[in-house]
Amino acid sequence: MNLLIKNVTSDFEDINALERLNNEAFPAEERMEIDEMMQLISRQIIEVTAVYDDSTFVGFYALSVRKPTAYVFFLAIDSSKRSRGYGSKALALMKKTICRLSDCLRYGSYR
């Protein structure tokens, strides 16, 4: 397993895979549609990060960071990749992202 992350932007090349996973992972009443997600990204309200195993898209997470706190909107792993440790590894990458963007974990036992 060689996990890599990429920020999702307006020209994100795997937008169809992200949308498919978003629709699969979350019920309609809990899901943020891709158009809304992209608007919030462009307004710098959320940061959406795609997770890859080498070049294979395996999932994504969405964060809103407003110092000194961070809010996790979503974490989704492709159903064909679940129970293989991708979620745990994605959480570890998410923690690094939060620590880079915010002071919220600096004072706790999470660091």
Side-chain angles (χ1 to χ4, degrees):
M1 185 181 306
N2 181 34
L3 289 193
L4 309 167
I5 57 174
K6 293 181 185 178
N7 284 340
V8 175
T9 60
S10 60
D11 61 348
F12 181 63
E13 67 270 7
D14 288 323
I15 194 70
N16 291 333
L18 189 143
E19 185 169 26
R20 180 192 51 75
L21 176 56
N22 189 47
N23 290 337
E24 170 194 297
F26 304 106
E29 63 273 7
E30 296 176 12
R31 177 173 52 237
M32 181 184 296
E33 297 301 330
I34 294 299
D35 290 342
E36 181 182 5
M37 199 179 291
M38 297 309 283
Q39 288 175 7
L40 293 174
I41 290 168
S42 70
R43 292 172 42 209
Q44 298 180 332
I45 294 172
I46 65 172
E47 181 175 303
V48 178
T49 304
V51 180
Y52 291 83
D53 187 354
D54 287 320
S55 62
T56 302
F57 176 81
V58 297
F60 75 94
Y61 55 85
L63 304 170
S64 176
V65 178
R66 297 290 177 262
K67 289 184 179 183
T69 61
Y71 179 82
V72 178
F73 277 93
F74 307 108
L75 168 63
I77 301 297
D78 188 285
S79 60
S80 69
K81 307 289 188 231
R82 292 181 193 150
S83 298
R84 297 182 189 178
Y86 287 110
S88 297
K89 297 283 187 187
L91 283 170
L93 292 170
M94 185 189 308
K95 177 183 165 188
K96 287 181 182 180
T97 301
I98 291 170
C99 289
R100 179 177 50 83
L101 297 174
S102 174
D103 296 331
C104 66
L105 298 178
R106 189 167 289 161
Y107 303 106
S109 60
Y110 300 101
R111 200 160 191 180

